[in-house]
């Protein structure tokens, strides 16, 4: 069972990541999540492929909760999946996959994939 604090931290960091994506904040995406401009172009392409235009509407976590979170046995980290909808509540079929990795005494969220699921 995943601790509530870890679950909340994963949710908050995924929300922050989505906020930076929605606002196209490349500086924060790069410094906080290691997302380069080329990676962001790929993210935007996937989002556009499902008919969402970030210039008009943003994305948020569906249902206000994580789809799944699981602990890695040997790594002191967690895998996280969240389903995404538009800010307006429209379905997107997008799933964001991230990792919450133990770093020193804290955790850091790492972007892994945004895909149509």
């Amino acid at each position: 069972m995943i601790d509530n604090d870890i679950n909340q931290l994963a949710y908050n960091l995924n929300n922050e990541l989505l906020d930076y994506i929605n606002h196209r904040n490349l500086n924060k995406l790069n410094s906080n999540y290691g997302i380069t401009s080329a990676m962001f172009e790929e993210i935007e392409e996937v989002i556009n492929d499902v008919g969402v235009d970030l210039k008009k509407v943003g994305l948020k976590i569906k249902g206000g909760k994580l789809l799944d979170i699981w602990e890695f046995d040997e790594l002191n980290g967690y895998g996280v999946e969240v389903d995404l909808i538009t800010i307006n509540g429209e379905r997107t079929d997008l799933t964001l996959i991230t990792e919450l990795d133990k770093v020193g005494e804290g955790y850091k969220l790492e972007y892994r994939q945004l895909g149509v699921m």
Side-chain angles (χ1 to χ4, degrees), residues 2-97:
I2 305 296
D3 181 278
N4 282 339
D5 291 340
I6 293 294
N7 202 321
Q8 189 63 49
L9 178 62
Y11 178 82
N12 292 344
L13 290 173
N14 273 278
N15 260 337
E16 179 183 78
L17 173 59
L18 285 172
D19 185 54
Y20 295 151
I21 289 171
N22 288 339
H23 290 96
R24 306 165 58 89
N25 189 333
L26 297 179
N27 289 332
K28 290 288 188 178
L29 286 168
N30 187 269
S31 64
N32 291 12
Y33 300 102
I35 296 174
T36 64
S37 58
M39 290 169 69
F40 183 74
E41 286 177 20
E42 289 176 15
I43 291 169
E44 248 186 341
E45 186 175 316
V46 171
I47 293 169
N48 289 334
D49 285 349
V50 297
V52 175
D53 183 352
L54 283 178
K55 294 175 186 167
K56 296 180 182 175
V57 64
L59 298 170
K60 68 179 184 177
I61 297 174
K62 180 180 178 182
K65 62 182 182 178
L66 304 177
L67 175 64
D68 195 14
I69 183 168
W70 63 94
E71 189 170 9
F72 295 126
D73 290 330
E74 69 276 354
L75 290 180
N76 291 327
Y78 302 87
V80 181
E81 287 185 15
V82 293
D83 280 341
L84 304 178
I85 59 174
T86 68
I87 297 284
N88 300 333
E90 296 171 5
R91 181 178 169 188
T92 67
D93 293 327
L94 292 171
T95 299
L96 175 63
I97 300 170

